[in-house]
Amino acid sequence: MSLSQLSVMVVEDHGFQRRMALRLLTDLGIGGLSEAADGHSALHLLEGSSQPPDVLLVDLDMPGMDGIEFIGHVAQRQLARAVVVASALDPALLNTVQTMARAYGLRVLGSVEKPLTRDKLAAVLGSFDDQLHAYDDDEVVEVTVANLRDALANNEIEPWFQPQVELGNGKPVAVEALARWRRNDGHVVRPVHFIPLIEREGMVSELTDHMLAQSCRWKRQWDQQGIRLNLAINVSPQVLGDEGAADRYQEIVRREGVAPNEVILELTESSVMADAARGLGVLARLRLKGFGLSIDDFGTGYSSLSQLSQIPFTELKIDQGFVSGAHKQPRKRAVIEASLDLARKLQLDVVAEGVETVEDWQMLADLGCGMAQGHLIAQPVPGEELPAALGRWRRPEH
Ligand code: C2E
Ligand code: MG
Ligand code: MG
């Protein structure tokens, strides 16, 4: 869908800013425009219209009903398909709003910092198609417990790999294994569509064991081609209650001929913090056996320094929400600087996730960040395509 086919409603109390937004949207060629000066009148308009707009551009700071309350109403009553927040919002808060809206099937495409510009609006509205298609996948791909079980049994779920490279010299040092479900009809299903069900149905250790074993097998092949890479494996929070996990992972890597210190297990910050006390024993045993432990999505989980220092992590992955666009957003840059400082004090390796542009790469290099992962370097690819993907990668010129 081109921008000219989109319909957008601007919800903004400030008259000048509202007119400004409308003018920029007109410049972008957007045909279907409407406006409202506050949340109540916007809801009124939306409820009265037979065709809801594709996108609502919502100011968060409005008198009466603020933008978050407004988005909550829109989501619950299904009055629009997608929302863009017109305020600088840090990724943790944006994440909260996105989660809240998604529960009702409303997409929050992203936030744009004021002053609005044509380019900023074009970038965020341009993702409408992608994000809606990603969402449509949920409906197209019927995921049932039975076909997931079959998928696991028939090896239809496989690891794809995304490189992590050193920022100092561009050298690939590791790959993150990301689960992909390759269906018979050729459809490749991303993990958001099936991992939650796997977790709910108690199949998660089967998935992790499978991902670990398959990834080790690929690693051995690359080793033989002279490509030496560590493996990063995503582990679900449920492992924290799985007393047998440490022994099982040790046995799997031994069987596949890989050393535990070549494997880094990634746990999301929020999952570990929710259950730190219970999980400490499992995490400590994994460390004892030599596995690396990484805090994934760092910055979205609100952990304190004292909590972090108690858990035997070896690596911290800065969440992509703070990384992409950081070179032009001082608040994101501040979070990155604080994360790097913390990592230095706790002697953790650091990976920046979601590096998409040369500018962000350059900023991370200047700040002394250790490793980078993201579309700038390579997309996740099947194992057989990894050597070629690495061959295409060139470190940006300084
Ligand atoms: P994650 O571990 O934080 O993985 C990073 C996600 O960011 C991946 O999405 C990756 O494809 C995507 N990504 C990488 N670079 C960029 C970039 O430059 N820009 C953008 N916009 N995105 C980028 P993916 O593969 O869809 O995985 C989503 C999440 O699913 C993962 O987040 C991880 O939490 C979970 N997951 C994936 N595989 C497994 C698995 O085997 N087990 C478990 N328990 N969770 C998994
Ligand atoms: Mg990860
Ligand atoms: Mg992450």
Side-chain angles (χ1 to χ4, degrees):
M1 187 189 273
S2 76
L3 287 184
S4 63
Q5 289 165 293
L6 276 185
S7 55
V8 180
M9 177 187 277
V10 178
V11 187
E12 160 76 68
D13 61 299
H14 196 287
F16 173 73
Q17 296 197 2
R18 191 168 65 248
R19 284 192 296 280
M20 182 73 174
L22 289 165
R23 200 169 71 228
L24 293 167
L25 291 166
T26 308
D27 282 356
L28 282 173
I30 289 177
L33 284 174
S34 51
E35 60 182 296
D38 60 69
H40 291 290
S41 59
L43 286 177
H44 189 70
L45 273 175
L46 289 166
E47 280 179 331
S49 97
S50 55
Q51 183 121 42
D54 296 314
V55 183
L56 299 175
L57 180 66
V58 180
D59 178 30
L60 280 198
D61 187 19
M62 295 187 289
M65 184 190 298
D66 65 54
I68 294 190
E69 187 187 350
F70 172 68
I71 292 171
H73 287 303
V74 170
Q76 282 174 33
R77 302 188 215 165
Q78 309 195 326
L79 296 173
R81 303 175 72 192
V83 166
V84 171
V85 175
S87 301
L89 209 53
D90 74 64
L93 186 52
L94 182 62
N95 205 8
T96 312
V97 177
Q98 283 171 331
T99 309
M100 170 190 90
R102 198 176 297 134
Y104 297 99
L106 177 71
R107 282 278 136 172
V108 179
L109 299 182
S111 60
V112 273
E113 201 163 354
K114 291 182 187 174
L116 300 180
T117 64
R118 220 184 114 113
D119 288 350
K120 287 183 197 170
L121 286 171
V124 71
L125 291 173
S127 71
F128 178 81
D129 264 355
D130 293 348
Q131 297 213 24
L132 234 66
H133 284 146
Y135 177 57
D136 286 346
D137 267 354
D138 289 343
E139 291 157 352
V140 175
V141 180
E142 193 204 352
V143 181
T144 64
V145 179
N147 60 32
L148 257 183
R149 271 190 213 291
D150 288 346
L152 268 173
N154 300 333
N155 282 339
E156 284 176 24
I157 298 181
E158 60 184 29
W160 285 27
F161 299 95
Q162 188 178 37
Q164 298 175 352
V165 303
E166 279 183 11
L167 272 145
N169 56 21
K171 194 173 149 259
V173 281
V175 280
E176 176 172 9
L178 295 158
R180 294 291 183 270
W181 178 5
R182 216 200 284 238
R183 291 166 55 113
N184 289 335
D185 57 8
H187 212 107
V188 176
V189 187
R190 288 175 311 116
V192 279
H193 303 308
F194 61 88
I195 300 258
L197 192 58
I198 287 198
E199 290 180 339
R200 208 159 59 225
E201 294 296 321
M203 296 187 273
V204 83
S205 55
E206 212 180 315
L207 172 78
T208 316
D209 295 3
H210 171 76
M211 290 287 292
L212 180 59
Q214 294 295 319
S215 303
C216 286
R217 239 162 263 173
W218 278 111
K219 175 176 162 51
R220 273 216 328 267
Q221 284 201 27
W222 301 322
D223 281 349
Q224 282 159 11
Q225 299 172 41
I227 305 172
R228 298 216 54 105
L229 298 167
N230 286 338
L231 290 175
I233 305 287
N234 289 288
V235 167
S236 151
Q238 289 167 16
V239 75
L240 299 175
D242 179 355
E243 293 296 334
D247 289 328
R248 237 176 33 246
Y249 296 169
Q250 185 182 40
E251 176 52 26
I252 292 172
V253 300
R254 192 197 57 73
R255 202 170 59 221
E256 302 296 343
V258 169
N261 65 13
E262 297 173 305
V263 177
I264 300 136
L265 304 171
E266 296 190 0
L267 288 118
T268 60
E269 183 189 16
S270 48
S271 73
V272 176
M273 291 314 147
D275 219 350
R278 189 168 66 116
L280 271 181
V282 175
L283 295 174
R285 293 192 60 222
L286 286 166
R287 267 307 289 144
L288 264 182
K289 292 180 187 297
F291 291 100
L293 292 179
S294 181
I295 321 171
D296 207 347
D297 301 347
F298 185 75
T300 60
Y302 314 103
S303 38
S304 68
L305 181 59
S306 77
Q307 282 174 310
L308 281 178
S309 64
Q310 284 161 18
I311 301 174
F313 284 118
T314 54
E315 180 185 274
L316 175 160
K317 291 186 82 172
I318 306 175
D319 186 65
Q320 47 182 279
F322 297 104
V323 173
S324 71
H327 72 279
K328 51 179 188 214
Q329 293 181 51
R331 289 164 62 96
K332 290 188 178 182
R333 186 189 160 113
V335 174
I336 295 176
E337 284 175 348
S339 306
L340 290 172
D341 191 43
L342 185 67
R344 220 167 282 131
K345 290 187 175 123
L346 296 176
Q347 295 182 304
L348 305 176
D349 295 330
V350 184
V351 181
E353 288 190 296
V355 181
E356 294 178 348
T357 63
V358 172
E359 290 81 4
D360 287 333
W361 166 280
Q362 192 56 54
M363 188 208 71
L364 290 160
D366 292 344
L367 291 177
C369 180
M371 286 168 273
Q373 177 182 347
H375 294 167
L376 175 70
I377 300 136
Q379 306 261 348
V381 292
E384 62 272 20
E385 291 175 28
L386 185 81
L390 292 176
R392 282 192 297 272
W393 155 242
R394 293 279 174 279
R395 177 166 68 114
E397 303 278 340
H398 288 247

